[in-house]
Amino acid sequence: MHAEIALLPGDGIGPEVTAAAVSVLRSVARRHGHDFAFPEYDVGGIAIDRHGVPLPEATLQGCRRADAVLLGAVGGPKWSDPNAKVRPEQGLLALRKGLGLFANLRPVRPHPAALDASPIKPHLLTGVDIVVVRELTGGIYFGEKTRTADAASDLCSYSVVEIERVLRSAFRLARLRRGYLVSVDKANVLETSRLWRDVAARIGREEFPDVRLEHQLVDSMAMHLLARPREYDVIVTENMFGDILTDEASMLAGSLGLLPSASLGDGKAGLYEPIHGSAPDIAGKGIANPYATILSCALLLRHSLELHEEADCIERAVDGALNAQAFTGDLARGGRGLSTAAAAQAVIEQLQAHCYVAELRD
Ligand code: IPM
Ligand code: MN
């Protein structure tokens, strides 16, 4: 098939991890006879430098035209002056909003070979298989902000429609998995959370009676996630709680560098990015972990291009690379880590073993 994948490398380690991921996608395309084009656009700090805005119109239009978007990361110290009028992160937020990507899927599945990299005891981690569904275009991220010399405010607001649509995505996913959904809120304090909980209960009762729905307060969820992660399956929550809980959940997998994400809306188009940031401290050194971005490509193939076999190939190849101890520094635990390019190469080599060309199978 022919597909257009808009490439937004962004800042910091973004260009390094996206280049690594594109090399894997090209290899998959070659093996399966696909033709992927990668038109490239600026977003974040580099877009501020080149165009004066974090999300140029050409970038948004290019992403709208594409079948899917692959993004690295945005932000860095250069653009972090607290008094700056524009910030790189605004570009990412405007892109998510502009593309209508309200459901952000963040799978967390610790890899057996990487258990040692986690600060959590290994016996708690085996069998952990969670997907966090984070609401991505509402809440405190997008509410009105005010600032005076001696006060500031950020408004958190949610409409019923915004809650319903992300809850439906989460319920549908839960139905395909273990039929168990945990909805996370702070309903003992926040009005938006009380609305969230009411809507979740109603959607569950009326549309998904076959799915077991449980409500959890976000503070106790933060604890349970580390104390008994195996019990959870699909977790759905609002924008900022999801941001925080998924950085926490990345420690189950051993590294922030292992967690991919898919941001989806109503259609098939989506935005795929690692959950980690631009890591300015290691940018330009060629040592960033590319696995989160490579795994995001698997999600891209599955959700936007419906290339399920190819998506499975990438996931098996990453499994294989980790089994073969192809670790970047974040996973190597004091040992010397592989370079970003070498880790991507390890995945490409594993594709040979794990990626069967269609003619051979038929
Ligand atoms: C993430 C990031 C972003 C967020 C930042 C870079 C705006 O932390 O994707 O989790 O907070 O959503
Ligand atoms: Mn985050």
Side-chain angles (χ1 to χ4, degrees):
M1 82 183 292
H2 172 77
E4 198 165 287
I5 300 170
L7 192 63
L8 278 56
D11 309 318
I13 59 171
E16 298 163 51
V17 293
T18 47
V22 166
S23 70
V24 172
L25 278 177
R26 285 195 200 282
S27 175
V28 169
R30 224 173 10 250
R31 304 184 72 84
H32 288 263
H34 302 305
D35 160 34
F36 296 156
F38 297 95
E40 204 171 310
Y41 303 96
D42 294 327
V43 71
I46 191 163
I48 294 176
D49 288 352
R50 289 186 180 160
H51 316 276
V53 289
L55 180 65
E57 190 55 30
T59 300
L60 182 58
Q61 292 309 334
C63 291
R64 287 208 169 112
R65 263 196 313 274
D67 299 293
V69 182
L70 180 66
L71 186 142
V74 298
K78 180 175 176 192
W79 308 280
S80 289
D81 176 354
N83 295 317
K85 277 192 224 36
V86 284
R87 290 188 60 105
E89 290 80 1
Q90 291 167 344
L92 180 54
L93 299 185
L95 186 60
R96 291 168 175 172
K97 188 88 167 179
L99 298 175
L101 306 172
F102 57 82
N104 180 222
L105 273 46
R106 298 188 159 186
V108 184
R109 208 170 29 211
H111 189 279
L115 291 190
D116 274 354
S118 172
I120 314 294
K121 293 193 177 69
H123 76 271
L124 294 173
L125 297 174
T126 34
V128 169
D129 184 353
I130 298 171
V131 180
V132 178
V133 181
R134 168 189 175 193
E135 200 291 325
L136 203 60
T137 52
I140 200 163
Y141 271 63
F142 292 91
E144 190 197 342
K145 298 177 191 307
T146 70
R147 177 74 182 266
T148 62
D150 44 22
S153 71
D154 296 274
L155 178 72
C156 181
S157 93
Y158 266 109
S159 70
V160 169
V161 172
E162 284 175 315
I163 302 170
E164 281 176 343
R165 62 188 183 184
V166 71
L167 256 301
R168 287 196 181 102
S169 302
F171 270 113
R172 269 185 238 117
L173 184 63
R175 195 174 252 171
L176 293 173
R177 292 169 51 100
R178 283 192 266 151
Y180 172 43
L181 177 64
V182 175
S183 170
V184 175
D185 61 39
K186 185 72 183 170
N188 52 348
V189 176
L190 301 177
E191 205 54 51
T192 40
S193 281
R194 287 190 273 273
L195 179 65
W196 182 282
R197 196 175 276 219
D198 285 351
V199 172
R202 173 172 54 79
I203 300 278
R205 192 173 57 241
E206 290 176 0
E207 300 174 32
F208 300 89
D210 51 315
V211 175
R212 177 158 68 98
L213 171 68
E214 224 174 76
H215 305 282
Q216 276 282 351
L217 296 172
V218 63
D219 48 352
S220 68
M221 187 68 222
M223 176 188 64
H224 292 313
L225 201 51
L226 299 186
R228 40 193 185 93
R230 211 173 8 244
E231 287 179 28
Y232 296 98
D233 186 30
V234 181
I235 296 171
V236 63
T237 191
E238 64 97 67
N239 204 342
M240 189 159 74
F241 296 161
D243 179 45
I244 297 169
L245 287 178
T246 50
D247 264 34
E248 185 193 6
S250 77
M251 285 297 98
L252 301 170
S255 169
L256 204 47
L258 287 175
L259 258 57
S261 88
S263 303
L264 306 169
D266 283 322
K268 272 201 304 177
L271 168 75
Y272 301 83
E273 54 173 323
I275 83 153
H276 62 68
S278 59
D281 52 324
I282 58 164
K285 296 186 177 162
I287 58 169
N289 183 341
Y291 291 136
T293 314
I294 293 171
L295 289 169
S296 298
C297 294
L299 298 179
L300 183 157
L301 296 177
R302 184 174 296 128
H303 293 285
S304 284
L305 306 186
E306 293 185 62
L307 296 175
H308 299 276
E309 177 70 33
E310 290 82 341
D312 293 348
C313 279
I314 291 188
E315 286 169 355
R316 285 196 300 263
V318 169
D319 273 358
L322 288 171
N323 281 333
Q325 310 271 309
F327 292 158
T328 40
D330 53 319
L331 297 170
R333 293 245 299 174
R336 250 183 75 84
L338 292 180
S339 70
T340 307
Q345 195 50 42
V347 174
I348 290 170
E349 275 158 28
Q350 292 287 329
L351 285 174
Q352 318 220 348
H354 294 283
C355 190
Y356 316 105
V357 182
E359 305 90 83
L360 296 181
R361 254 189 309 112
D362 290 343

